[in-house]
């Protein structure tokens, strides 16, 4: 015997079990049925969920944005200073001439990473003189690091365009050259400095000036930071000799 297909009766559909009327009125013959839309576009609730997700993503991004902006402001104001752990390997910086506006100088301590092999018997600390310059130009900049048998050498500003830097700080153990200052103040408390936007530790001896010029500059540094550092004609290479 041929079996009849399982067709629900008009009065007992899956949508309306036991109900004599179908869920929707029958469509006239030949009428087309509109395509279904997505739940998000079809219901107000879907749109709300989309907006909530977007707001949550924006809220989560705010703290990270504020942290980055805050660090940028603090660095520009000099409030952070050199906060990174120094390698403990000194490097040499020379220039035929440095000219700067907004100059400050005070003593401080640089710290190496815990367990640094360069710490020796220093306890991982280096006593340094921090020099801060708001805006600086340098002629024929040279920087070299002795790697033991060879030197990593960087040169820039040898042509017509000079090296420029803003919010420049250097942590040095030695600085030599022929210096000239305008409106210098010697003996300030480092926490009260105003010329370069950097403040040192309270109770520390310091000096500041409106401008500084140093010919035949030579520094032994452990750290350098700058807001902007432009090095035209940059060359990086290994060399048998340093600066």
């Amino acid at each position: 015997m041929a079996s009849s297909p399982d067709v629900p009766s008009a009065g007992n559909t899956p949508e309306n079990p036991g109900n004599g009327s179908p869920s929707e009125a029958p469509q006239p013959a030949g009428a087309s049925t509109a395509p279904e839309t997505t739940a998000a576009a079809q219901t107000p609730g879907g749109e709300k969920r989309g907006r909530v997700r977007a707001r949550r993503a924006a809220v989560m991004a705010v703290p990270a944005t504020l942290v980055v902006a805050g660090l940028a402001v603090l660095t520009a104001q000099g409030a952070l200073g050199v906060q990174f752990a120094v390698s403990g390997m000194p490097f040499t910086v020379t220039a035929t001439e440095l000219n700067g506006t907004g100059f400050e100088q005070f003593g401080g301590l640089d710290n190496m990473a815990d367990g640094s092999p360069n710490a020796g018997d220093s306890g991982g600390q280096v006593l340094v003189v921090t020099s801060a310059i708001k805006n600086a130009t340098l002629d024929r900049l040279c920087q070299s690091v002795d790697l033991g048998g060879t030197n990593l050498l960087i040169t820039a500003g040898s042509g017509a365009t000079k090296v420029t830097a803003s919010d420049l700080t250097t942590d040095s153990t030695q600085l030599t050259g022929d210096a000239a200052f305008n409106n210098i103040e010697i003996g300030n408390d480092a926490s009260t400095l105003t010329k370069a936007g950097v403040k040192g530790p309270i109770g520390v001896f310091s000096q500041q000036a409106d401008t500084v010029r140093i010919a035949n500059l030579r520094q032994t540094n452990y750290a350098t930071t700058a807001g902007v550092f432009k090095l035209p004609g940059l060359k990086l290479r290994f060399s048998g000799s340093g600066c």
Side-chain angles (χ1 to χ4, degrees), residues 17-227:
N19 191 336
S21 62
S23 59
E24 294 183 0
Q27 299 292 327
S32 61
T33 302
E36 293 184 357
T37 57
T38 61
Q42 193 176 26
T43 65
E47 294 177 358
K48 290 180 181 177
R49 285 195 296 272
R51 287 196 294 269
V52 169
R53 292 193 191 99
R55 283 196 295 268
R56 285 177 179 170
V59 170
M60 291 173 66
V62 166
T65 304
L66 291 177
V67 168
V68 173
L71 288 175
V73 170
L74 289 172
T75 301
Q77 294 176 344
L80 291 181
V82 177
Q83 292 293 322
F84 57 82
V86 299
S87 69
M89 297 178 64
F91 55 96
T92 300
V93 175
T94 65
T96 55
E97 184 173 295
L98 177 149
N99 286 280
T101 58
F103 172 80
E104 300 173 358
Q105 198 169 63
F106 53 89
L109 281 173
D110 280 353
N111 293 279
M112 304 177 202
D114 292 341
S116 172
N118 300 318
D121 58 359
S122 68
Q125 291 187 321
V126 183
L127 182 63
V128 295
V129 174
T130 296
S131 302
I133 303 176
K134 189 64 179 176
N135 293 288
T137 60
L138 301 99
D139 292 337
R140 297 182 179 276
L141 175 70
C142 178
Q143 176 180 300
S144 63
V145 184
D146 187 351
L147 301 177
T150 189
N151 291 269
L152 178 61
L153 188 67
I154 297 173
T155 56
S158 299
T161 307
K162 301 178 181 180
V163 172
T164 60
S166 62
D167 298 311
L168 175 68
T169 67
T170 58
D171 285 6
S172 313
T173 54
Q174 185 175 359
L175 186 156
T176 61
D178 302 312
F181 304 93
N182 283 335
N183 297 324
I184 191 168
E185 302 171 2
I186 301 174
N188 308 61
D189 187 292
S191 66
T192 67
L193 296 175
T194 59
K195 301 293 185 180
V198 176
K199 296 186 183 299
I202 189 170
V204 172
F205 179 93
S206 69
Q207 59 185 5
Q208 64 177 359
D210 288 343
T211 65
V212 58
R213 176 185 176 274
I214 304 177
N216 303 314
L217 171 69
R218 187 175 189 87
Q219 292 177 301
T220 300
N221 292 347
Y222 277 84
T224 297
T225 65

